[in-house]
Amino acid sequence: MKSKYIKSLLGTALVSVFFMGCSSDILTENPRNFYTPGYFQTKAGILGGVTALYANLRNLNGQAYYFNSCETGTDEATWGQSADGNFTSMDYSGAATFNSATSPIGILWSTVYSNINTANGIIENALIVNASKKGTADTIPGSLITEANFMRAYDYFLLVQRYGGVPLDLGSGILKFNTNPSRTSVRNTVPEVYTKCIFPDLLTAVNTLPVTQRFTGTVTKQVAQLLLAKAYLTYAWWLQNPNNIPTYPLCDRTDPNGKDAAWYFQQAYNLATTVIANPGSYALQATYYDVNVGSNDRNKEMMLYADHTQLSQQYNGGSLTSGSAAAPDNFAGWMLTWNYPTITSSGDGGATYKISSVLRVSTQDLGRPWVRMAPPIGVFTNTFADKTNDSRYDGTFTTVYHANWPLGGTVTATSLVNANGMSVVPGAPILSFLSTDDPSIVYPPAYPDPLAPGKSSVGAGTMPGRADYVVGPSAISRIIYPGLWKLGPYRTDNGTGIGNPNAGSTRPFPILKFSELFFIAAEAAVKGATVTSVSGTYANDGTAKGLINIIRARAGKWRYSNAQNAVVVADNSAAMVAATPATIDINYILAERSREFYGEGYRIFDLRRTQTWANVAGTYQICGVKFGDRTVQTVTRTILPANYLDPIPQAQIDGMDMTATEKAAYQNPGY
Amino acid sequence: MKIKNQIKPFWLFLIFLVFPLLGFAQTITVRGIVKDATGETLIGVSVKVVGTTGGSITDLAGAYEIKAPENSKITFSYVGYQTQLVDVNGRSTINVTLKDEDKSLNEVIVVGYGTQRKEAVTGSVASVNGSVLKEIPAGNITQALQGRLAGVDLEQNDTKPGATLQIRIRGTRSLTADNNPLIVLDGIPFSGSISDISPDDIKSVDILKDASATAIYGSRGSNGVILITTNKGVKGAVPQVSYSGYYGQGKAIYYPMMNGPEFVALRKASGRYTANGSDEANDVNTDWQSMFYTTAIVQSHDLNVSGGNEKGSYKFGANYYTNQAVIPGQNYTRYAIRGSIDQEIGKYIRVGFTSNTNFNVTNGASLGVGNVLSQSPIANPYNTDGTLKRFVQMPLDQGFVLTKDRIENLGDTWKDQKKALGSYNSFYAEIKIPGVEGLKYRTNIGANFNFSNAGTYTGVGVMNATATAASSASVVNSYTTDWAIENMLTYDRSFGKHRVNAVAMYSAEQNFNNYSTISAINIPTDNLQFYNIGQANASDITVNPGKDANFVPYQGYSVWGLESLMGRVMYSYDDRYMISGTVRSDGSSRLAPGYQWHTYPAVSVGWNMNKESFMKDITWIDALKLRAGYGQTSNQSVATYSTLGSLNTAPYNFGTTYSTGFNVNTVPNSKLGWEYSYTYNFAADFSLLKNRLSGTVEYYITDTKDLLMNVNLPSTSGVSSYTANVGSTQNKGLEISLNGVILDNLNGWTWEVGANVYKNVNKITALASGADQDINNGWFKGKSINSIYDYKKIGLWNTTDADYKYFSTLEPGKTSTVGMIKIQYTGTYKADGTPTRAIGPDDRQVMNLDADFQGGFNTRVAYKGFDLAVVGGFQSGGILVSTLYGSASYLNLMTGRRGNVNVDYWTTTNTNALYPNPAGPLSGDNPLYGSTLGYFDASYLKIRTITLGYNFKQKWLKFAGIEKLRLYGTVQNPFILFSAYHNQSGMDPETNSYGNQNQAVNSYNSRTLVIGTNTPSTHSYLMGINVTF
């Protein structure tokens, strides 16, 4: 009885198990923790795609190695004491080999194509969604789709400036959304990239984008006008080619639209002055300090930026406490920051000067020091020669390092002994970079004397009667130089401590500014555009000088001094305008651009566009890599015409499934 | 009262049940002595009358006494000996000599869904029995198997407690799909970690190596199959209780860092840091490692109860294993219980159940030695008042002071703990089909369950030079279920000289996994740790929808299934000619619809030559078998959902408006299908000189086609990758295993020796779309998968070098010249012998990491109760990557910036040094071409363990009720010979990390095993005891 019961039970179990096993839905997949590409064909997916385009701005803007590729090798920066091959190779001075495997030149290339494809997908899929959802709430407004046009043009504009002609077909056709695993590529020519993509996309954007932002920092009609003006200007230079710089892939310097360089210079002028006259919600800030001070981020002058936040680690995209030194972190500012916490003061003025009086703190003047890049001496003696009237020197650099040791909580002394055995209190200057060299500076013995670091430990000098250490401009070296205040961190959660100095900056990284419109119009005017007077808030005669003087007048206005760490109200506008030369030429515009946009990643584009790179940045001067090395070295760069185009990154060449000949033809000449 | 009444009928029932047995035949008393083949009496032999429940055991004199019916049968069983069945036939004295368990070709081998006499096996199967594994006391069987089996390469990829070794059977086949073998525990595919199985439970391990053997496991067996059989109770055995345990201590093998004076000299030679950091002084000599390490402790305790009756058997056991690493706060503890029951029901049905459940706790897995090693040896860790500094200031870096005391006093401010519960259960029912002899139906049902909770908490400023560094916490909860069902018909029968064994099967399995990750910063108090992350401010909490830097999702979900139909026939004629044929059809959920199913065949043949008449006269050959096999297997081990494509998440803030973006990361591949391997296997098994020398020689070729690969696309495609069937690889190899009995109980001495040596040649034969190389992934056509691509150091530049005149051509722009690393130039030369270009990326070369050959050896000497066993391993050729000496771990910067490995560097008076001039040029923070300093000849010969044991056979055992007692002591890692790396560093020449782990900058592909800054290896001493009651 019992065994019979067990048998039948077992039999039932076996039969049911067999059928359970037979169900074939165990071979069907249904992912539940991520989206498949199909989601990209819904309204929510497309909205997400547009957000991704903004998020991807962070992969370049604030990414220090990309920043390095835009600055090192120009008159604004060379490699610093802690530089590795990523930086020495970009200096074109033979410090390291520069070739297609040099990693910084690959960052732009490896970042933007996926972005371009996302934009392609948005533009393509939005049409499909709108066709199928016609008349419902699930359609996508054209202005939103056009944000993708803007981003695609922005990416192609970067590419065409760095590499020459680039592919418009990613594998599924010209400007088509690619879902094919394509392992071949064909490059278009420079005029094709401009006339088939950049100009049409930006014209669509100018016509369709709203004049007010959808969210904080989203693009508008005016942003598109600014970028289009910049693209016209750049293309006009390319058509004109005054210094006979080669292009690639080879093509005639004729415009498929049948226009000439002068026409494009005029378009650039017209568009820029139009926005200056009709700025919408954008405006110049009252002072230069206001443009860059962290408490005033996302101001009306900032037209496009890669945003960050200290309020949410998740949406910041990177840790709020310790930087990853990789995108999407904003860590560009670390590169041009010297190792200021090395400065030492003394507790009692005795023999030992071992107390760090300037701690690493997440404030705009300090931040994390990586010493990978350094400004050549010419930045201080030429570009920023005027340090008194022009507030931009003070609004760009940290020139005075102030005592902050109590923030560390370990040194409890209320005062320390600093230079000349003099006492300093928290907030007092500990080390100052002077405006000019002064014969009364007493430096410690020069390197390689073992005493070269001196009491300051950084080889700084002293001046009679001053409690702070001092460094003259001619002593600026690869290891000690004014920090880049502009890009320094700003946080409101430091409390009474040092905050999070090792985190990436939680500030937005600037990309496009309202002020650039004045430079674009002025440059176009210098290149022969017919000028007309500009009305509105920024009324001027529309000449290069008139436009530039708006910027220079603003630069003369002070409301705060970083060096003094105090409110300083002054208006030196008149002196600034008076100092403007009667005739503005390209070199003056370039110098003025450097004063306005120093260390923001503009420089390599400016020098290549104007074909002045080798002239402006061919040599530079700086002292060596040791504290106390005050021997000014003149370094010569070898910038060949072929260098005006970056090599196509080796990873692209390696990744393509093409013959060696085809691959060689894909590469830019000279590499 | 009531209870008693209920019990009474039960007893009556029992008496009635037993009574018939008692009253059947005339019962007599049988006595006798049981001896072994050497004439020694055996104590504790189980003596039982067949068909009864009672029994007896032999006493100290080997004598027994038992009451038995005149016409009954008596069994004599003893561990290590063949069980003997004797007819009583009315005799009252029966003396018995038990034979040793036969270790010849007649052993039974588990071949997957059945067993086979070793003599008849035609595929490539390597076996190890549990007693051999126990010669190496280890936390899991991978360590015990290392070096035991030809063609089974067990490489260390982690040295933390509880870690298992990476297993590669006959090389690496797949470029991006899984290369791990399938583990089958008691017949059911095992989804857990191999460390979940206590080695003490294991009866045998059988490894299926070639396709004809693995075909029966189909797609899951393409990388080989490890069949683990655990001990079960013995039917009809008297209840036995056994205990085995060991305790050991280990000391860290120190990383070879410079001491104070050496470091001062290096910093001076480098000239880069002229001023010491504020905590440094040239007369300080701090040994950071000795302040950090503790004594490693390992202990294991296993208690088992087993027994059986006429119709069934059982075994239950419990295991406790714990291992404290030399890093304080880093330990692993496992509690396991295990049970198995087999029961016959009536004449035709047999059912059984096995359950393995374990709970384990891992603490401090994130602790490493990198930070400790990078501390300057001239930095003083103490304040003037004797307390520990929070950090020491070196010239550039601040190093958090991490010592044993500090870790032990962290209290609530730090926690890194993973708790996991795994339960692996299988049930079977077997029905003999009445009327057809040899036909059986069997169903196996497996149900596994895994739960883990892993959390970390770091308080404010803990493990950080910055005292105010924010606190952080994260927690990962993971849940896995896994079921498998197999329905099988087997037919096993002999007809005269013909033997047939046939199996037909349908199986299905499905695996489900889900895990979630939450993290936050600024946890309000230390007391909360990671137990309520919700207490942090909402803006500080992250539930990341995307993937980490290694593309591992933070929130995981996967379900995969596999359905299979299979048939196998094994036939032998006269035990001379054998053939085995298998066909299996697999359907996988991971592949694209329309490409999910594939059918593949395998066949193998064997010929026992020694049974032929022409071999009769060759008496020195006891057995000689030739085998050949061909088979196809496949691999579907790509990540789930690989065919579908995926969107990446891109979180962004528009000011304070938060939004999550998406972009296409992987494109779909609607044609993703199977990866196939075709294997040819040729082998000879032999046993010579009265079985004193036996062995196997095997040769194989495995071609793997349509490799499942994550193909990285060029940037211009706009998408980063897709998974596709591209490329092919080949593995060719030769394996030789030999076992010899040198002394066979000669005056009480026995000496056995075993050795194996094998060579595997791996080659990529094709890459995606005919490409010759894929530099980004490190794949090169015609080269091994295990290659590195780097410059080749050929020495250091000296002005006296003949080629020094070319220095400025080869290394333009370098100012510090002498003593710099000299790289092999691979370019062309001008007519006058001048190189045409500078050293550059084109000079990078593909260098093969694989060993020329490798293997293991073991020897065992026994005399009376004593036995001494030595197990070792060796490798010849190949490249060992040590990130310590290379540029990845930042421990050989040679600038005096931070702690440095002790290297023999170039100076003007030491121009013949191995390492460059510290004042020479840098690339980044390391010496230029510094990565080339991390490559060493990987050859070594190593004694892994020496065990001295003693088996008690004294008379007092009997009085203590002890059946068996063994004591032993083991030394682990005692000797390393012929190792260039050991000679230079004093370290273990075996790897300890994946290529993307335990370095300051993770620099290698994860598949490249390297030496990193993982938990140090140890020299350990263990004492153990095995006792059976």
Side-chain angles (χ1 to χ4, degrees), chain B residues 775-814:
Chain B
I775 294 173
N776 301 337
N777 286 308
W779 296 324
F780 301 89
K781 190 175 163 184
K783 309 284 183 178
S784 168
I785 294 171
N786 304 306
S787 293
I788 41 172
Y789 186 60
D790 201 350
Y791 297 99
K792 192 166 194 171
K793 175 186 165 223
I794 51 170
L796 302 177
W797 284 104
N798 276 307
T799 47
T800 50
D801 293 351
D803 54 356
Y804 189 75
K805 57 189 172 196
Y806 304 132
F807 179 85
S808 58
T809 311
L810 291 171
E811 298 286 356
K814 305 294 186 310

Side-chain angles (χ1 to χ4, degrees), chain A residues 67 70-71 74 76 161-162 226 230 301-304 486 509-516 519-520 590 593-594 596-609:
Chain A
F67 174 75
C70 301
E71 291 283 350
T74 72
E76 290 189 351
Q161 292 178 88
R162 297 298 295 252
L226 165 55
K230 202 169 171 176
E301 192 163 328
M302 295 291 183
M303 295 179 73
L304 185 66
K486 222 180 218 187
F509 190 96
I511 300 171
L512 292 171
K513 288 180 175 174
F514 185 68
S515 51
E516 197 181 1
F519 289 96
I520 292 167
L590 285 172
R593 280 187 85 103
S594 190
E596 188 74 20
F597 303 123
Y598 178 88
E600 293 180 39
Y602 287 60
R603 199 57 174 170
I604 196 74
F605 296 101
D606 291 347
L607 298 184
R608 286 190 185 177
R609 175 181 70 248

Side-chain angles (χ1 to χ4, degrees), chain A residues 14 21 27 58 84 178 311 657, chain B residues 443 506 539 596 653 655 717 769 924:
Chain A
L14 288 176
L27 299 186
R58 290 170 174 167
D84 59 21
N178 182 36
L311 297 176
D657 179 22
Chain B
T443 185
Y506 164 81
S539 62
Q596 286 179 322
N653 67 297
S717 70
S769 317

